[in-house]
Amino acid sequence: MEQKKFDLNSFIGFALIFGIIFWMMMNSQKNEAKEQKEKAKKEQLEKQQNAKQKETKLAATIATDSTVSDTLKLQKLQSTLGSFAYSATLPSAKENFTILENEVLKLKISNKGGYIAEAVLKDYKRFDKNSKQLVELIKNNNAQLNLELQTKDNRTLNTKDLFFEPTLTKNGDDQVLSMKLKADANSFLEYQYVMKPKEYMLDFDVKSQGLGKVLNTSKPVDFQWELKTYRNEKSISYENRYAEIIFEYEDGKDDYVGQGKDKEETADKVTYVAYKQHFFSSILLTKTPFEKAVFHSHNLVDDEKKDTVFTKDFKTTSALAFQNGELDYKMNWFYGPTDYRLLDKYDRNLDEIVPLGWGIFGWINKFIFVPLFGLLSSFMPLGIAIILFTILIKIAMSPITFKSFLSQAKMKVLRPEINEINEKVKDPMKRQQETMSLYSKAGVNPMAGCIPALIQIPFMYASFQFFPSAIELRQKGFLWADDLSSFDEIIKLPFRIPVYGDHVSLFPILAAIAIFFYMKMTSGDQAAMSQPPQEGMPDMTKIMKMMIYISPIMMLLFFNNYGSGLSLYNFISNLITIGIMLVIKKYFIDSDKIHAQIQENKSKPKTESKFQKKMREMMEQAEQQKQLQNKKK
């Protein structure tokens, strides 16, 4: 038998494998130990916080316990609340509410926590106009405002668990509510709310008096604002897509926390925070910017069939700094509709909350779509306003459309000559030179058909931003659609189709049909304009033929859950474009005249433009280099 020899390579291999496994085991143990340590630390912190909250809640229970004498009650309260035991002994230290109400907004402010416990928008209904349910942004403890106070005797108190004393007065037509958390008769933390007539915006001041002797003012007060957003629209997925946190920096720039299961952002010098729920917003503004703020967004919709109450959980944490031993922050609350024109009038950059798009898309929406649609919708039904709006936009774009079709017609006339060049000239570079020369002689610009189409793209994209943001469409019906801001369901399916949904909307079907016929009618002209396929390059003619079928399918799939107002706009837009195209082809474009004009252009002496000259020189240089390379071979 042959004796086995020592294999060094195998030994090294096994040693490396063993070393890697050993390293992975050690690293795993270290990570596990680290995770356990962090978990223990987190649990300890949670225990401490829970203990503090229990103490504060116990104090609230003692304060409302009528079986305990005032003297004994005060002693117990002082052991947990220190100086703020005074506030818990006042007659207001009980579960009670104060109402602030005007023509458009109703607020209920709780003695406990001093914060808004209910916010009702009186002019808006949930889900549909016949639901008989008003939009309530705050109810049933879905919102929380809390200041974490650090006292000089090392206590941590949360204002959300303490009782404030309310005082309601009037200043002219304004309602003024003072909520005071008292340490004694003259020392207190105050929330002051001022409600004006017919306004969604309130003044909200946070200030203190005489608390320098009670609170540890060497570091800021932790500030927390949280809101679980109630679902208010028919389509939970559509509403959730536009629910997000938006905030503004001191320099006027705005930003947002992205969509996702859990998203977090940190920002400095923040002047407002908006919790947007598609068509409604809860906004906190401050004249003294938050030095640093942390925003957290948690998506609560995992399954639309089950998760139908809330959409997102929003939270902001920051700090309020002391000035000369006291707090003094001038703020505002806004609870109302995400209406561009309403928010714009406050001159606080709140219009940026409405997602009208960036750059040129935003300009088109702000300076064309919003004013024009606002004018039309002010004196006619919304469905008719959309149709007339679309007609006016398409008429304004018709000169560009005409230039595009004219360029297509010229390219169609030149197509036989281009095919002849392709057959005769086999060298790709020379073929390109001959083709460019033909364009120059005929006075035809091959890009002339593309530029008008590119000009129309910003308007198309702007419409995709404008209609989902137009609160004017909310719960306004047209034909079979009872809400132009939501889908126009005509059939409810007994099952759910991925991407498509569990219903059939009619306007997307009509828009898809219109897109199909428009692309079918223009595909021939576009093929005539396209260059013959080069070696190694995709055949654009085949791609365009595929798009004839792909575009309508995409319209059906993705627009089934979108607002019917956008689908109506797309349907009418494509219908009008087809009509304009037929009129232009029949009455304004004569192929014989175009052919005669091209032949006449060929006979005229041509002066090259700088661009044409540069292109010719580049091609000639490329041709010379190719010839030199061939000679060397």
Side-chain angles (χ1 to χ4, degrees):
M1 287 181 66
E2 184 180 7
Q3 191 177 6
K4 291 184 179 180
K5 297 181 181 179
F6 177 74
D7 189 345
L8 180 61
N9 292 334
S10 298
F11 176 78
I12 294 172
F14 280 118
L16 286 172
I17 291 169
F18 177 78
I20 291 169
I21 293 172
F22 181 76
W23 177 83
M24 290 174 65
M25 290 174 64
M26 293 299 295
N27 193 54
S28 176
Q29 289 176 356
K30 286 180 181 179
N31 289 338
E32 188 176 346
K34 186 178 179 182
E35 287 176 4
Q36 288 177 351
K37 188 176 179 180
E38 289 178 354
K39 186 179 179 181
K41 187 178 179 182
K42 186 178 179 182
E43 288 176 352
Q44 182 65 24
L45 184 63
E46 287 178 353
K47 283 181 181 178
Q48 290 175 356
Q49 290 177 344
N50 290 335
K52 290 174 182 177
Q53 288 179 0
K54 283 180 181 178
E55 285 182 4
T56 313
K57 288 179 180 178
L58 177 63
T61 304
I62 295 169
T64 55
D65 188 356
S66 58
T67 63
V68 180
S69 66
D70 290 343
T71 305
L72 184 59
K73 185 186 294 185
L74 182 59
Q75 290 175 353
K76 288 184 176 181
L77 288 170
Q78 286 176 335
S79 67
T80 55
L81 302 182
S83 298
F84 287 102
Y86 176 84
S87 191
T89 61
L90 299 174
S92 57
K94 57 185 176 180
E95 295 279 358
N96 210 347
F97 303 92
T98 305
I99 304 295
L100 290 179
E101 185 173 8
N102 61 17
E103 295 82 354
V104 296
L105 181 63
K106 180 180 178 181
L107 301 177
K108 184 187 284 188
I109 292 87
S110 173
N111 286 9
K112 188 176 181 180
Y115 179 54
I116 299 169
E118 288 185 14
V120 182
L121 307 186
K122 299 167 71 173
D123 292 337
Y124 295 92
K125 302 286 195 305
R126 294 185 73 198
F127 307 130
D128 65 73
K129 58 187 175 184
N130 299 316
S131 70
K132 297 181 181 179
Q133 299 180 54
L134 292 175
V135 169
E136 297 174 280
L137 300 182
I138 301 176
K139 67 172 182 177
N140 298 334
N141 300 314
N142 72 311
Q144 176 181 290
L145 177 74
N146 182 56
L147 299 186
E148 191 174 272
L149 306 176
Q150 303 291 332
T151 66
K152 286 192 171 181
D153 54 357
N154 294 319
R155 302 175 191 274
T156 300
L157 303 175
N158 291 291
T159 59
K160 65 181 181 179
D161 298 319
L162 302 177
F163 287 103
F164 287 65
E165 183 182 51
T167 304
L168 181 61
T169 58
K170 293 206 74 174
N171 183 12
D173 292 331
D174 299 345
Q175 301 170 61
V176 181
L177 175 62
S178 170
M179 303 292 293
K180 292 180 179 178
L181 173 62
K182 293 185 173 181
D184 57 48
N186 299 309
S187 304
F188 52 81
L189 171 70
E190 181 183 19
Y191 296 162
Q192 186 181 85
Y193 301 86
V194 180
M195 175 179 274
K196 300 178 176 63
K198 300 179 182 180
E199 281 285 351
Y200 294 101
M201 183 80 78
L202 294 91
D203 293 340
F204 176 64
D205 294 347
V206 178
K207 53 188 176 182
S208 66
Q209 177 179 301
L211 292 184
K213 60 187 177 183
V214 177
L215 298 179
N216 179 4
T217 60
S218 63
K219 59 180 182 178
V221 172
D222 289 337
F223 170 89
Q224 302 153 5
W225 176 36
E226 187 172 3
L227 177 70
K228 287 174 68 176
T229 57
Y230 276 103
R231 173 193 170 195
N232 289 305
E233 310 304 327
K234 185 166 64 174
S235 173
I236 189 169
S237 60
Y238 195 48
E239 179 179 7
N240 203 28
R241 186 181 298 123
Y242 293 97
E244 59 186 346
I245 300 177
I246 300 167
F247 54 93
E248 184 193 53
Y249 296 99
E250 188 178 25
D251 59 6
K253 293 180 180 178
D254 61 280
D255 206 343
Y256 63 93
V257 179
Q259 299 283 350
K261 185 64 181 177
D262 280 288
K263 291 290 182 179
E264 188 171 284
E265 292 287 340
T266 302
D268 298 327
K269 299 289 184 181
V270 174
T271 55
Y272 74 65
V273 184
Y275 295 164
K276 187 167 75 70
Q277 302 172 232
H278 195 182
F279 288 124
F280 303 100
S281 293
S282 305
I283 310 171
L284 176 63
L285 306 94
T286 176
K287 292 181 180 177
T288 304
F290 298 134
E291 286 296 323
K292 184 177 182 180
V294 179
F295 312 105
H296 184 78
S297 173
H298 177 63
N299 185 18
L300 300 175
V301 182
D302 290 321
D303 185 347
E304 291 185 21
K305 292 181 180 179
K306 298 177 182 177
D307 307 327
T308 57
V309 179
F310 300 103
T311 55
K312 297 265 174 52
D313 186 0
F314 296 139
K315 186 174 183 179
T316 298
T317 56
S318 186
L320 306 184
F322 287 94
Q323 297 292 333
N324 300 320
E326 302 290 354
L327 292 174
D328 188 9
Y329 276 77
K330 304 291 183 184
M331 300 185 184
N332 297 92
W333 285 115
F334 175 91
Y335 293 101
T338 312
D339 185 327
Y340 177 83
R341 286 176 292 179
L342 171 66
L343 294 173
D344 188 48
K345 80 171 189 176
Y346 290 113
D347 197 26
R348 298 284 296 272
N349 210 30
L350 295 179
D351 55 294
E352 295 297 330
I353 294 170
V354 184
L356 295 179
W358 52 272
I360 189 172
F361 312 116
W363 300 337
I364 291 170
N365 276 322
K366 289 179 181 179
F367 303 117
I368 300 176
F369 284 11
V370 169
L372 178 59
F373 191 75
L375 174 65
L376 296 174
S377 61
S378 65
F379 63 88
M380 63 176 63
L382 269 296
I384 303 298
I386 291 175
I387 294 173
L388 185 55
F389 172 82
T390 312
I391 292 171
L392 292 174
I393 294 295
K394 298 308 290 187
I395 289 174
M397 301 292 288
S398 58
I400 297 172
T401 306
F402 174 75
K403 286 185 178 181
S404 180
F405 288 150
L406 181 61
S407 179
Q408 290 177 14
K410 288 180 179 179
M411 293 293 291
K412 194 173 182 179
V413 169
L414 282 178
R415 187 68 181 180
E417 296 182 54
I418 294 172
N419 289 337
E420 187 178 343
I421 292 172
N422 292 332
E423 290 175 6
K424 287 182 179 179
V425 183
K426 300 303 179 183
D427 181 76
M429 187 62 69
K430 197 158 186 179
R431 186 194 305 157
Q432 190 71 15
Q433 283 181 309
E434 292 287 337
T435 305
M436 292 299 293
S437 177
L438 174 63
Y439 289 150
S440 179
K441 289 177 183 177
V444 174
N445 183 358
M447 296 298 294
C450 301
I451 294 171
L454 290 174
I455 293 173
Q456 295 183 65
I457 288 175
F459 285 83
M460 180 185 70
Y461 182 79
S463 71
F464 283 90
Q465 297 290 107
F466 172 73
F467 283 100
S469 302
I471 194 172
E472 300 96 321
L473 301 178
R474 187 176 186 270
Q475 297 179 0
K476 299 297 191 299
F478 180 65
L479 299 178
W480 58 86
D482 56 5
D483 186 349
L484 287 167
S485 72
S486 189
F487 54 80
D488 55 312
E489 178 185 303
I490 57 168
I491 299 174
K492 181 71 174 178
L493 300 175
F495 50 85
R496 187 174 190 83
I497 302 172
V499 182
Y500 186 73
D502 60 357
H503 64 273
V504 176
S505 299
L506 184 53
F507 275 129
I509 294 174
L510 295 176
I513 293 170
I515 287 174
F516 174 79
F517 281 106
Y518 166 70
M519 296 194 74
K520 191 78 173 173
M521 293 172 71
T522 57
S523 61
D525 293 334
Q526 289 172 346
M529 287 183 65
S530 65
Q531 294 289 333
Q534 303 292 329
E535 187 177 348
M537 297 296 289
D539 189 342
M540 294 304 297
T541 305
K542 290 182 179 179
I543 292 174
M544 283 187 282
K545 285 181 179 178
M546 289 174 59
M547 290 303 297
I548 293 174
Y549 302 97
I550 292 173
S551 295
I553 291 171
M554 290 178 65
M555 170 62 74
L556 282 175
L557 288 176
F558 293 104
F559 281 73
N560 192 60
N561 291 294
Y562 266 68
S564 53
L566 179 59
S567 299
L568 172 61
Y569 171 82
N570 278 280
F571 168 58
I572 298 298
S573 178
N574 284 291
L575 211 60
I576 293 170
T577 303
I578 290 171
I580 290 174
M581 183 177 67
L582 292 172
V583 170
I584 289 174
K585 284 188 172 183
K586 186 171 183 179
Y587 297 104
F588 294 95
I589 294 180
D590 187 328
S591 297
D592 293 334
K593 286 184 179 180
I594 291 172
H595 185 269
Q597 183 64 50
I598 287 174
Q599 298 308 317
E600 185 182 339
N601 289 343
K602 287 181 181 180
S603 62
K604 294 178 181 178
K606 289 291 174 184
T607 56
E608 288 183 317
S609 66
K610 289 183 179 179
F611 175 76
Q612 289 173 329
K613 184 179 179 182
K614 189 71 175 174
M615 287 294 293
R616 179 178 57 77
E617 289 174 352
M618 287 172 64
M619 288 182 181
E620 287 174 354
Q621 288 174 6
E623 182 65 24
Q624 288 173 5
Q625 288 177 0
K626 187 177 180 181
Q627 289 175 359
L628 286 171
Q629 288 175 356
N630 290 334
K631 286 180 180 179
K632 289 178 180 179
K633 289 178 181 178

